[in-house]
Amino acid sequence: MVEIEIDGKKVSVPAGSMLMDAANKLGTYIPHFCYHKKLSIAANCRMCLVEVEKAPKPLPACATPVSAGMVVRSNSEKAVQAQKSVMEFLLINHPLDCPICDQGGECQLQDLAVGYGKSSSRYAEEKRVVPPKDGGPLISMADMTRCIHCTRCVRFGQEVAGVMELGMLGRGEHAEITSFVGKTVDSEVSGNMIDLCPVGALTSKPFRYSARTWELSRRKSISPHDSLGTNLIVQVKGGKVMRVLPLENEAINECWLSDKDRFSYEALDSASRLTAPMIKQGGEWRETDWQTALEYIAHGLRNIKHEHGADAIAAVATPHSTVEELHLLAKAMRGLGSENVEFRLRQTDFALDGQVTPWLGMPIAALSNVKRALVIGSFLRKDHPLVATRLRAAVKGGAKLTVLHASNDELLIPGTAKIIAAPSDWLAALSGIVVAVAAAKGVAAPAGFENIEATDAANKAAASLTTGDANLPGVILLGNAALQHPQASKLHACAQWIAEQTGAKLGYLVDAANSVGGYLAGANGKNAAEVFSTPKKAYVLLNAEPELDAANPQQARSALDGADMVIVMSAFKHGLDYADVLLPVSPFSETSGTFVNCEGRAQSFNGTVKPLGDTRPAWKVLRVLGNLLALPGFDYDTSEAIRDELFGKGVTDLSAKLSNVSTIALSAARFGNGDAAGLERVTDVPIYFADAIARRSEPLMRTADAQAPLAHLPSQLAEKLGVKAGDRVTVTQGSGSAILVAAIDAGLPANAVRVAAAHPSTAMLGAMFGPIHVEKAGEAA
């Protein structure tokens, strides 16, 4: 530790720290623009000049290393004069458009100009003008004349997002920040550049000119999207959500947001919102009141139970529903006598039920410091954008990352070793790593693995997990695709064995905001696989669109079409052709509730705006429905009472209730797959189609990631079929087919075809894993 003095106060900081770090530790504010605690040092704004004893001139606090006995003055006459001179230079070319600038009220330049700027300028020359740029549908670059070249946006892209989408051209008067020619900013975390920009050069395109920051109320909330449980600040005006910003939490999302968390709010007030209960009568939809709708549902469920038994009733929900909603849904079903309740709609292997409640197995923050990692079956950047940023930071710190997956997607993480195999070969690939780890550790391979030979890739993966200090933190992570895999339990058994032998943690990334909470709420039934495979007479759908959310949309749609009664509880209008009743329930912004994130942390939140129209919180709807059905235990007054019944009052750390330990025996058996041509499907869930809110956000739907799914073909298959990129192909699964535009993907295994799920253009296809047939469009027999 090095002791220095700043403004008469002594402070000790680690050797190699900068003066800015020492000032931050003391709580001493030094004005700055280019410095940011999460980015590298640029030292190009010079606003943080301070006086250092014995130094001939002021020095930048962000780039001056501490030395023993250093005496620093941040607000001396010399320091302040230097800071004022820098401010004068910064304002030479800055436009005088504060009254119309979206950054007004939260602009660092504006704030510091009050303290360090002059009341008039000495410069009479014409100000320079920088032409506007096209930053894409999310970021406005229309006012780049305001840019002060702090390069925060450039450094964020390179260092955190992993891709340099913006850069600085020219020097001096001609310097400007721009994107690559013909390119927009398309990163899944690009919106953070808006927060980082200290002036109004980069602003939110959806929010632009819609409100002033001082008109907005700020309310805390939790993201309803991926499993991280990202902390949000929801800004509200006139009962409408106007903007979403990150609430800094180092343990979870640091100070970042994914674009899905930031811009999905545009769906909350969209035309697709369902705002009144509706009943289908004579094939036509009619609005009705809540009492009539709920009595109609209660009467229908009682009749179906009487005529067909309670087992003919099923409830399905998405894991984007709150703990309270899932608990009451499960309680209502079991009160009726049915065990058919399920929230794991994309899962197909349930052999781990009763043993494993999938969770991360470690704190989220620990991911930034792992030194050895194996990620199995994850479209990492798109499934978990902020987990990818943490693993990117870990690799920069010397970690070794290996990925086993079916698609060679660009992870933007340098040095990543990859094993690319078709889904039916994942278990074989993982078995090879088991054998290689056994050899490296000098232990016997598990029974049944004696005749398996480790490939070179398996040996390299094993070496990355076993070499070096065994005490260094390591992790084996199973992604969304691994959990949805038909052999999920066998993949888990292999991953668990590797983790045990290498001293690594075993964890699941899990796919949604409340995937962990769904288990704790008891929303997983005893016969999960049969919810759609064995059609029921009545279905209750909570926030679920099975044609987009189910593992096999064909099967789900067939079951819904054949049901006597389908009740849709959703914030949006959907299912009009198979539903009988639509109930408008509140999205996360209009209800209170709790999400349990992947690390087992329960985070409760309140509604940020009043429910739209006649919308009601789902937990209240389920409570009233329970009363109408005369079920016991439906007398809650608040969502907190439901949460406390489940977890106990004030309990937030639920990791003790979670376990990734299984007793499933290891197996190396491959699952059968492929059509006559040996082709199988590789399925991703596009980042902005993973849940109901994101897929209805207009700004997100204009991004590159929201384009209609393509049929990605390996080069050999495309050549065999005579298909070029841009040609149309017919993709067939079971009884359904879709005509899609082809793309050639050299990173796919030779026997795999990648077709996305969760999109209307592919909703008629079958299972996410399994045989698939492809032919050039127009050549079908």
Side-chain angles (χ1 to χ4, degrees):
M1 300 292 283
V2 176
E3 185 178 81
I4 68 169
E5 181 184 304
I6 300 180
D7 296 337
K9 299 176 184 176
K10 293 191 181 297
V11 63
S12 294
V13 291
S17 299
M18 301 296 157
L19 288 180
M20 189 72 84
D21 301 323
N24 288 341
K25 188 173 181 179
L26 272 178
T28 298
Y29 178 74
I30 298 176
H32 60 272
F33 293 112
C34 67
Y35 169 81
H36 191 277
K37 63 183 179 180
K38 294 291 182 181
L39 303 177
S40 64
I41 295 167
N44 53 7
C45 80
R46 317 309 280 184
M47 191 65 208
C48 64
L49 291 175
V50 293
E51 181 183 357
V52 178
E53 197 171 84
K54 297 180 183 177
K57 59 182 180 180
L59 300 176
C62 69
T64 302
V66 297
S67 61
M70 183 180 275
V71 177
V72 180
R73 299 180 185 89
S74 69
N75 57 4
S76 66
E77 184 179 349
K78 186 176 181 180
V80 171
Q81 185 55 49
Q83 293 159 2
K84 286 185 174 181
S85 297
V86 169
M87 176 59 71
E88 187 175 17
F89 276 113
L90 287 174
L91 294 176
I92 290 172
N93 280 310
H94 200 79
L96 300 174
D97 61 353
C98 291
I100 63 159
C101 178
D102 253 16
Q103 198 83 351
E106 52 189 10
C107 173
Q108 280 182 260
L109 185 66
Q110 197 176 59
D111 293 342
L112 292 178
V114 172
Y116 299 92
K118 294 180 181 293
S119 59
S120 60
S121 174
R122 290 188 289 164
Y123 291 86
E125 291 80 9
E126 289 185 2
K127 291 179 180 286
R128 75 171 195 153
V129 176
V130 178
K133 314 290 191 301
D134 180 13
L138 305 180
I139 298 178
S140 172
M141 299 178 70
D143 299 290
M144 294 305 291
T145 303
R146 300 169 182 161
C147 178
I148 61 170
H149 306 148
C150 70
T151 68
R152 281 184 178 183
C153 56
V154 178
R155 285 175 285 147
F156 172 82
Q158 289 177 297
E159 298 162 17
V160 180
V163 55
M164 186 175 177
E165 293 183 289
L166 295 179
M168 189 159 76
L169 297 177
R171 299 186 67 183
E173 179 85 1
H174 305 290
E176 58 182 275
I177 300 291
T178 185
S179 58
F180 286 90
V181 177
K183 300 287 186 180
T184 54
V185 181
D186 297 322
S187 166
E188 61 280 353
V189 290
S190 66
N192 293 293
M193 294 178 182
I194 299 167
D195 294 339
L196 288 171
C197 185
V199 294
L202 303 180
T203 54
S204 168
K205 193 169 279 189
F207 176 71
R208 190 169 168 83
Y209 297 144
S210 61
R212 284 300 198 177
T213 181
W214 54 84
E215 301 174 317
L216 304 174
S217 301
R218 296 160 60 89
R219 292 158 193 177
K220 296 179 182 179
S221 191
I222 304 297
S223 165
H225 302 299
D226 68 24
S227 62
L228 213 66
T230 298
N231 288 202
L232 310 176
I233 294 173
V234 177
Q235 297 190 325
V236 176
K237 177 186 176 185
K240 179 181 176 182
V241 175
M242 304 299 293
R243 186 167 62 164
V244 172
L245 298 174
L247 175 61
E248 185 170 347
N249 187 333
E250 283 296 319
I252 299 176
N253 56 292
E254 302 176 271
C255 55
W256 310 127
L257 276 189
S258 70
D259 287 354
K260 180 160 62 171
D261 294 331
R262 185 183 298 272
F263 296 107
S264 65
Y265 74 88
E266 285 282 318
L268 300 175
D269 201 45
S270 69
S272 59
R273 280 294 300 270
L274 177 65
T275 57
M278 301 180 76
I279 296 178
K280 188 188 286 183
Q281 294 179 330
E284 292 188 4
W285 285 100
R286 302 180 187 276
E287 289 190 0
T288 186
D289 60 84
W290 274 102
Q291 186 72 21
T292 302
L294 291 175
E295 287 180 353
Y296 178 83
I297 291 168
H299 178 73
L301 292 177
R302 277 195 294 263
N303 281 352
I304 288 171
K305 178 182 176 181
H306 176 73
E307 294 175 12
H308 304 284
D311 192 55
I313 303 172
V316 294
T318 66
H320 303 280
S321 309
T322 67
V323 161
E324 293 82 357
E325 293 164 358
L326 293 174
H327 177 57
L328 290 195
L329 183 68
K331 194 172 183 178
M333 287 300 106
R334 293 188 173 109
L336 286 168
S338 172
E339 278 292 338
N340 301 315
V341 56
E342 192 50 66
F343 72 97
R344 302 164 296 178
L345 301 188
R346 293 194 176 104
Q347 192 169 328
T348 54
D349 180 359
F350 299 94
L352 294 173
D353 276 10
Q355 298 184 52
V356 170
T357 45
W359 72 297
L360 188 61
M362 63 193 298
I364 292 169
L367 290 173
S368 299
N369 301 312
V370 297
K371 297 301 179 185
R372 303 167 290 141
L374 171 62
V375 178
I376 303 163
S378 177
F379 295 92
L380 190 60
R381 276 179 57 205
K382 305 304 180 183
D383 290 346
H384 303 94
L386 297 187
V387 170
T389 64
R390 285 193 180 270
L391 289 177
R392 192 171 294 121
V395 169
K396 284 186 175 182
K400 295 180 179 178
L401 174 63
T402 303
V403 171
L404 168 59
H405 199 35
S407 177
N408 190 19
D409 287 9
E410 177 52 71
L411 298 179
L412 303 175
I413 304 177
T416 302
K418 295 179 181 177
I419 302 174
I420 306 301
S424 62
D425 292 322
W426 285 2
L427 186 57
L430 210 50
S431 300
I433 298 176
V434 166
V435 171
V437 167
K441 301 294 287 186
V443 299
F449 285 68
E450 297 83 1
N451 297 322
I452 294 176
E453 290 189 16
T455 62
D456 289 343
N459 284 322
K460 288 179 182 176
S464 72
L465 292 168
T466 56
T467 54
D469 188 348
N471 295 319
L472 291 176
V475 65
I476 314 292
L477 294 173
L478 292 149
N480 296 359
L483 190 57
Q484 295 156 0
H485 197 280
Q487 290 182 311
S489 58
K490 294 178 180 178
L491 295 175
H492 175 102
C494 287
Q496 181 177 313
W497 189 91
I498 294 169
E500 290 168 352
Q501 297 302 318
T502 60
K505 298 281 188 183
L506 175 64
Y508 281 89
L509 293 172
V510 300
D511 63 341
N514 213 20
S515 294
V516 174
Y519 285 92
L520 299 174
N524 47 318
K526 291 181 179 177
N527 305 306
E530 298 179 8
V531 169
F532 290 124
S533 62
T534 304
K536 309 299 178 185
K537 292 295 181 180
Y539 284 97
V540 180
L541 309 181
L542 174 60
N543 297 320
E545 300 173 68
E547 64 271 31
L548 301 177
D549 296 328
N552 190 328
Q554 265 180 29
Q555 190 182 78
R557 184 57 194 266
S558 175
L560 293 169
D561 287 341
D564 292 346
M565 187 179 210
V566 177
I567 301 146
V568 170
M569 299 175 64
S570 175
F572 303 98
K573 288 181 183 176
H574 66 85
L576 299 179
D577 44 354
Y578 57 73
D580 298 284
V581 186
L582 301 180
L583 300 180
V585 297
S586 300
F588 82 103
S589 57
E590 299 169 16
T591 185
S592 57
T594 305
F595 292 133
V596 182
N597 71 358
C598 59
E599 67 177 358
R601 184 192 300 245
Q603 300 186 103
S604 295
F605 57 92
N606 293 314
T608 55
V609 292
K610 291 180 179 179
L612 192 65
D614 284 336
T615 301
R616 296 289 182 270
W619 70 267
K620 288 187 177 181
V621 176
L622 290 165
R623 180 197 63 191
V624 175
L625 186 59
N627 293 334
L628 290 174
L629 291 168
L631 303 177
F634 279 80
D635 53 355
Y636 308 99
D637 292 325
T638 64
S639 63
E640 288 82 2
I642 307 170
R643 178 197 63 201
D644 293 346
E645 177 181 276
L646 271 173
F647 304 145
K649 196 165 186 177
V651 176
T652 57
D653 183 4
L654 301 170
S655 57
K657 297 184 178 184
L658 307 172
S659 172
N660 286 330
V661 179
S662 158
T663 58
I664 295 281
L666 269 71
S667 170
R670 179 185 189 274
F671 81 89
N673 212 353
D675 67 352
L679 296 179
E680 59 183 278
R681 183 176 177 182
V682 173
T683 310
D684 62 303
V685 177
I687 181 171
Y688 301 137
F689 288 92
D691 63 81
I693 296 176
R695 62 176 72 117
R696 289 174 173 85
S697 168
E698 192 207 345
L700 292 180
M701 290 301 99
R702 295 200 302 268
T703 63
D705 280 321
Q707 300 308 304
L710 305 174
H712 294 265
L713 312 178
S715 307
Q716 303 95 314
L717 176 63
E719 189 175 338
K720 179 181 175 182
L721 296 176
V723 171
K724 296 183 178 65
D727 289 351
R728 290 155 66 84
V729 294
T730 302
V731 178
T732 305
Q733 266 191 304
S735 60
S737 62
I739 297 178
L740 304 174
V741 175
I744 313 302
D745 188 344
L748 280 173
N751 60 331
V753 176
R754 178 172 170 176
V755 179
H759 192 277
S761 65
T762 59
M764 66 293 296
L765 298 177
M768 294 174 68
F769 296 84
I772 191 167
H773 183 73
V774 181
E775 58 190 7
K776 199 167 183 178
E779 295 186 4

